[in-house]
Amino acid sequence: MTDAAFPLLRADVSTLPRYVPGRPAPDDLVDKLSSNENPYPPLPSVIRAVEAELGRLNRYPDPAATVLRDELAAVLGVPAGHLVLGTGSVGITQHLVAAAAGPGDEVLFGWRSFEAYPLLTWAAGATPVEIPLRGEAYDLDAIAAAVTDRTRAVFICNPNNPTGTAVRRAALERFLDRVPRRVLVVVDEAYREFVDDAEVPDGIDLYRDRPNVAVLRTFSKAYGLATLRVGFAVAHPRVAAALRACAVPFGVSGPAQAAAVASLRAGAELAERVADLVAERARVTAGLRTAGYEVPESQANFVWLRLGSRTAGFTEACEAAGLMVRPFGDEGVRITIGAPDANDRLLKTASHRQR
Ligand SMILES: *Cc1c(COP(=O)(O)O)cnc(C)c1O
């Protein structure tokens, strides 16, 4: 067929890089430690809340997610008008980038970091600028130095996916004081609930008197609702309004809203699970270090091994042990903290390879 038989599309879209998800787990694979999911199934109260929604699938959901928004506002201690719910925090990220940047504009972030940042920046027609990590962590001085007149947004992934490292309060405040207020700074806290270092700031404290700071959170990781696609931004009214203007109407489904509300109400129970995973993170980190691996201090629900050319071999050994981990080219492997027995097998496999 000739080109005339096809619709005209944006020329740059056909060359966009694609998001490469973790491979689906094969049937005989025992544990998936490749997508930073919560290993625990939903709480019974959450399942009941979703079931109660199933008889209403013919109806559109509440477009403003009012009940969820109001309960979340109370839990976080922010005005409801500063909250924007979306289809996962990736959905919100897309709307934030679209609201802030277009052709000719730059979006900055550390690298390696979350793959969605460059993809969604390209998709908006803007230009991603990747600032290399330093010592596996965001190099805030280098990012501040890279801000230009064309910079519209900066992503700070805290803690960073895939390295697990977090920037601390003093460094982040110094950075925010240095960056011009016309630049939107998005603090992506997808793993905030797993942070146990008191020096790692809560983005919600930082955004309060800085109108250019927006915070991203999600129900996918600590709350264990990855499949339902619900996340949110906390932002000042002008940014929040722009986000709503760019959002897909009815983005957050009824079951997702109900599950998120039920999860907030089960906060204490879920916090126990998070505490268990944080304890397992310490155990896995210590075990890997004892086996001779260099493991950056993680504040998330995963650990990072910069294995270089050993990445593929390590990944295959894990698969042979029924464990799926997440390789990144020949850079390294990200390993999600799973249930204790999966972590045991991971430690066994990893220490075997060092012998
Ligand atoms: C997992 C993750 C998200 C959230 O994803 P959603 O499921 O879309 O809420 C956001 N940012 C980072 C850095 C992540 O790792």
Side-chain angles (χ1 to χ4, degrees):
M1 270 192 274
T2 64
D3 276 357
F6 294 98
L8 283 175
L9 301 172
R10 264 170 56 195
D12 59 333
V13 166
S14 64
T15 59
L16 288 185
R18 300 281 183 272
Y19 182 82
V20 184
R23 284 196 290 129
D27 286 345
D28 55 347
L29 205 89
V30 190
D31 282 290
K32 184 161 172 257
L33 305 180
S34 52
S35 296
N36 297 344
E37 294 152 340
N38 195 313
Y40 300 109
L43 294 172
S45 61
V46 173
I47 292 177
R48 278 196 301 276
V50 170
E51 279 171 354
E53 284 297 309
L54 297 181
R56 284 194 283 274
L57 293 184
N58 54 317
R59 303 291 177 190
Y60 281 104
D62 173 0
T66 316
V67 176
L68 173 57
R69 190 197 59 196
D70 291 350
E71 293 206 17
L72 199 48
V75 168
L76 298 173
V78 301
H82 290 199
L83 280 177
V84 183
L85 277 298
T87 53
S89 49
V90 170
I92 306 262
T93 300
Q94 179 178 25
H95 303 146
L96 269 175
V97 173
D105 299 330
E106 291 176 348
V107 176
L108 273 53
F109 42 84
W111 197 254
R112 182 173 277 280
S113 191
F114 190 37
E115 296 104 308
Y117 305 152
L119 301 189
L120 296 175
T121 301
W122 284 123
T127 305
V129 181
E130 301 176 347
I131 313 293
L133 300 181
R134 211 169 96 172
E136 307 294 3
Y138 260 58
D139 184 347
L140 295 179
D141 287 337
I143 296 176
V147 170
T148 70
D149 288 348
R150 296 196 293 169
T151 306
R152 290 303 183 86
V154 178
F155 280 91
I156 306 292
C157 191
N158 205 36
N160 184 41
N161 175 5
T163 57
T165 54
V167 294
R168 289 180 151 180
R169 184 173 296 104
L172 191 47
E173 284 182 349
R174 193 162 10 99
F175 170 81
L176 293 172
D177 290 343
R178 221 180 131 184
V179 170
R181 291 289 164 112
R182 61 172 175 77
V183 175
L184 177 67
V185 179
V186 183
V187 185
D188 184 345
E189 297 189 328
Y191 302 96
R192 171 66 204 172
E193 295 82 357
F194 299 101
V195 170
D196 66 352
D197 176 348
E199 288 301 309
V200 175
D202 180 331
I204 291 175
D205 295 334
L206 296 173
Y207 106 100
R208 288 188 199 278
D209 51 6
R210 292 180 174 87
N212 65 322
V213 174
V215 180
L216 290 179
R217 300 265 180 97
T218 179
F219 284 92
S220 295
K221 310 285 167 52
Y223 287 94
L225 300 180
T227 228
L228 287 175
R229 314 306 305 129
V230 50
F232 59 94
V234 185
H236 283 270
R238 212 185 273 215
V239 175
L243 258 178
R244 289 188 199 101
C246 292
V248 176
F250 303 107
V252 185
S253 73
Q257 294 184 29
V261 168
S263 298
L264 288 177
R265 293 176 184 169
E269 245 175 303
L270 288 167
E272 274 178 43
R273 291 176 162 193
V274 167
D276 288 346
L277 290 168
V278 168
E280 282 293 286
R281 176 180 77 204
R283 187 173 75 88
V284 169
T285 301
L288 288 169
R289 286 178 181 164
T290 302
Y293 292 88
E294 239 179 80
V295 191
E297 200 64 48
S298 173
Q299 287 289 299
N301 67 338
F302 53 84
V303 292
W304 168 250
L305 301 179
R306 189 171 286 281
L307 296 173
S309 59
R310 294 184 295 150
T311 298
F314 184 95
T315 304
E316 282 160 24
C318 287
E319 272 189 35
L323 300 168
M324 189 132 160
V325 298
R326 179 71 183 275
F328 289 88
D330 58 1
E331 281 178 58
V333 172
R334 189 190 66 201
I335 306 162
T336 305
I337 303 299
D341 61 312
N343 302 334
D344 285 343
R345 289 210 320 288
L346 184 269
L347 287 175
K348 205 169 140 195
T349 307
S351 32
H352 263 290
R353 286 192 61 75
Q354 289 293 75
R355 290 207 192 101

